[in-house]
Amino acid sequence: MKANATSASGGTEHEVLAAVLRVRAGSLQVLLWQRALAPQVGRWALPGGRLGEQEDVDSSMRRQLAEKVDVARLSHLEQLSVFSEPRRIPHRRVLATAFLGLVPTDQDPAVPDDTAWHPADSLPPMAFDHGAITRRARERLRAKLSYTNLGFALAPPAFTISHLRELYSAALGYQVSATNMQRVLSRRGLLVPTGESAPSGRVGGRPAALFRFRERELRITDPFAVLRPPRQP
Amino acid sequence: MKANATSASGGTEHEVLAAVLRVRAGSLQVLLWQRALAPQVGRWALPGGRLGEQEDVDSSMRRQLAEKVDVARLSHLEQLSVFSEPRRIPHRRVLATAFLGLVPTDQDPAVPDDTAWHPADSLPPMAFDHGAITRRARERLRAKLSYTNLGFALAPPAFTISHLRELYSAALGYQVSATNMQRVLSRRGLLVPTGESAPSGRVGGRPAALFRFRERELRITDPFAVLRPPRQP
DNA sequence: ACAAAAGTGTTGTCTATACACCCATGG
DNA sequence: CCATGGGTGTATAGACAACACTTTTGT
């Protein structure tokens, strides 16, 4: 019953690649390393590598990221999709499962010498299809910020509303109103006041209350925008 | 001949699998074929097969589906994700890229003898992880019906509002109000009246106007549920 | 005329943005 | 006591579900 689809041999090489994003200094950044060898010397690439024999893609991705950034600092990791264009890598056939990874803003993991954070909105010359993968990751993040609690993955354990506003603004790429963001997240029960306050700024001003996310696991908070099920009377 | 899963060489076997869904007789159905050979004889499986050397996963999926259902009748095909658990298939290491496919309700493609449509809400005994893939496909469809124009992929070229209501009800799994569905889709500019009317039913009644979808390509119609960008004054 | 099905008008509720105003602190 | 940023109250607009009501057909 198996269709015999040409290949006499074993199969196809498979790699995992992650666009790891964080917000820093008001800008959404992605973790890239610079290729030292051909092909595409000098271009910037996403971290990743070959899938091992005994791993699923998720474990493999976490293992490979551990070499670039302490994996314990990853606050979120999810699959984007498979990139499979036959000529995506010259002279070799390699499939890639692409991921979106997130690191909270308070973490500053040590990274290898060939590795650096780059602004996600003005990418350097990218290797292969890694630019496309990065843009997909950015879009996925932007979409999920609006209908899930994914903000927790960008934010530190405790934060002020205006700090959170900066994170959302940088990630979304446009100005977000602190007032309305707080209302939306509070109505959905995502924010909990810690009771603490941040010290007030250098020039005075009311001290800001500190909040935390109630949960630090992905949850869909706005499941049915329209066409909701009827309510039972 | 046992497949040597630990080849130091080439890579990993890769297959593509599709959960092809349609609505028929008020029920959401999935296209399955029954395994005649070990392992898992008699269990039902998703159509698919091995990825070829020169194909991307999308083309491969379309090619393989052509054996089960005329590919020209597929109104939509999208990637779900990679299933990569090392023991998902006994004794062999096979990755799968899973897809959601849709067929409009007016099409009735001929299918092979070992193949049949099954209700997506009460699946027969399924092979491997194909049950999980099917449920993922169903969830993806349900989500996208609410914030995209994906309804076009279930509907025939022209339809009455109450026919469309049946399709949405079956796909979503709960009763949808024709009135409100029409309003939502019209407000978004997705529906266009054809000017024609359907003949009125067997026992009389006002003849229903016929509509069509303005576009038959996937478009996100409700992009920002919340945290919209500020309007420029 | 009446039953049946299609389609419209209307209302109440909820969500979200915008913007004015009040609050707490440092100098 | 005032500048500065934090936080709340309120108005307005829009989206949606529910349901009563009107329209158009066949018998």
Side-chain angles (χ1 to χ4, degrees):
Chain A
M1 189 67 216
K2 281 285 126 198
N4 91 17
T6 53
S7 125
S9 84
T12 314
E13 201 174 333
H14 200 102
E15 63 180 357
V16 291
L17 294 170
V20 177
L21 304 180
R22 72 165 184 187
V23 174
R24 199 75 169 202
S27 139
L28 184 66
Q29 303 181 327
V30 57
L31 189 68
L32 302 175
W33 64 277
Q34 189 166 30
R35 293 183 61 84
L37 300 177
Q40 315 228 357
V41 185
R43 287 181 174 256
W44 292 84
L46 297 174
R50 276 181 64 163
L51 177 68
E53 302 288 345
Q54 300 300 330
E55 308 172 298
D56 60 37
V57 288
D58 214 84
S59 318
S60 181
M61 192 74 255
R62 289 179 187 275
R63 174 179 67 76
Q64 315 242 13
L65 282 178
E67 302 167 11
K68 297 286 181 183
V69 48
D70 180 359
V71 76
R73 298 168 193 255
L74 261 193
S75 48
H76 181 68
L77 184 67
E78 74 176 58
Q79 232 188 82
L80 292 170
S81 75
V82 175
F83 286 74
S84 62
E85 209 278 311
R87 324 189 124 219
R88 57 179 289 275
I89 306 283
H91 310 309
R92 279 163 56 212
R93 172 68 148 133
V94 187
L95 295 192
T97 298
F99 286 79
L100 160 65
L102 295 174
V103 175
T105 206
D106 61 318
Q107 304 281 353
D108 198 2
V111 298
D113 281 347
D114 61 354
T115 303
W117 294 93
H118 291 259
D121 287 320
S122 67
L123 294 171
M126 298 284 283
F128 314 122
D129 51 5
H130 295 198
I133 294 176
T134 305
R135 285 184 287 274
R136 278 279 279 281
R138 196 186 57 185
E139 291 321 304
R140 177 75 66 92
L141 169 63
R142 288 179 176 174
K144 287 212 163 178
L145 282 178
S146 136
Y147 68 94
T148 72
N149 63 345
L150 192 53
F152 78 83
L154 298 174
F159 46 83
T160 66
I161 294 298
S162 44
H163 184 198
L164 191 62
R165 188 200 72 83
E166 286 173 35
L167 298 179
Y168 271 82
S169 293
L172 291 171
Y174 53 81
Q175 286 304 310
V176 171
S177 142
T179 301
N180 295 328
M181 181 200 70
Q182 178 175 18
R183 284 221 234 275
V184 168
L185 299 182
S186 296
R187 191 185 8 254
R188 295 181 175 176
L190 306 187
L191 292 183
V192 183
T194 64
E196 315 268 304
S197 301
S200 57
R202 42 244 148 246
V203 283
R206 175 173 172 173
L210 289 174
F211 292 81
R212 61 179 178 82
F213 276 92
R214 178 184 296 277
E215 296 173 279
R216 297 189 70 87
E217 250 172 55
L218 186 62
R219 219 183 75 224
I220 293 175
T221 57
D222 198 10
F224 296 98
V226 293
L227 299 175
R228 294 185 253 282
R231 60 188 179 82
Q232 340 306 7
Chain B
M1 179 64 150
K2 123 172 127 173
N4 181 3
T6 45
S7 67
S9 80
T12 315
E13 202 176 330
H14 200 102
E15 64 180 358
V16 292
L17 295 170
V20 177
L21 303 180
R22 71 166 184 188
V23 173
R24 199 74 168 202
S27 136
L28 184 65
Q29 302 180 328
V30 58
L31 188 68
L32 302 175
W33 63 276
Q34 188 165 32
R35 293 181 62 84
L37 299 178
Q40 315 225 357
V41 183
R43 288 181 173 254
W44 292 84
L46 297 174
R50 277 180 66 161
L51 177 68
E53 303 286 351
Q54 301 299 329
E55 309 172 296
D56 60 38
V57 288
D58 214 84
S59 318
S60 182
M61 191 76 255
R62 288 179 187 276
R63 174 180 65 76
Q64 315 241 14
L65 282 177
E67 301 168 12
K68 298 284 180 183
V69 46
D70 180 358
V71 76
R73 300 171 192 251
L74 262 192
S75 47
H76 181 67
L77 185 67
E78 74 177 56
Q79 232 189 83
L80 292 170
S81 74
V82 176
F83 286 73
S84 61
E85 209 278 310
R87 327 190 118 215
R88 57 178 288 275
I89 307 283
H91 311 307
R92 281 166 52 215
R93 172 68 149 132
V94 187
L95 295 192
T97 298
F99 286 80
L100 160 66
L102 295 174
V103 175
T105 208
D106 61 319
Q107 304 280 353
D108 197 3
V111 298
D113 282 346
D114 61 354
T115 303
W117 295 93
H118 291 259
D121 287 321
S122 67
L123 295 172
M126 299 283 284
F128 314 122
D129 51 4
H130 294 197
I133 294 174
T134 305
R135 285 184 288 274
R136 279 279 280 280
R138 196 185 55 183
E139 291 319 304
R140 178 74 66 93
L141 170 62
R142 288 179 177 176
K144 286 213 165 176
L145 282 178
S146 136
Y147 69 94
T148 72
N149 63 345
L150 192 52
F152 77 83
L154 298 174
F159 47 83
T160 66
I161 294 298
S162 44
H163 184 197
L164 191 62
R165 188 200 71 83
E166 287 172 35
L167 299 179
Y168 272 81
S169 292
L172 291 172
Y174 52 81
Q175 286 303 312
V176 172
S177 142
T179 302
N180 295 327
M181 181 201 70
Q182 179 176 18
R183 284 220 234 274
V184 168
L185 299 181
S186 296
R187 189 179 19 246
R188 295 180 176 177
L190 305 187
L191 292 183
V192 183
T194 65
E196 313 270 303
S197 300
S200 56
R202 41 245 149 245
V203 283
R206 175 171 171 175
L210 289 174
F211 293 81
R212 60 178 179 82
F213 277 93
R214 178 185 297 277
E215 295 173 279
R216 296 190 71 86
E217 250 172 55
L218 186 63
R219 219 184 74 222
I220 293 175
T221 56
D222 198 10
F224 297 98
V226 293
L227 299 175
R228 294 185 254 283
R231 58 188 181 83
Q232 335 311 1

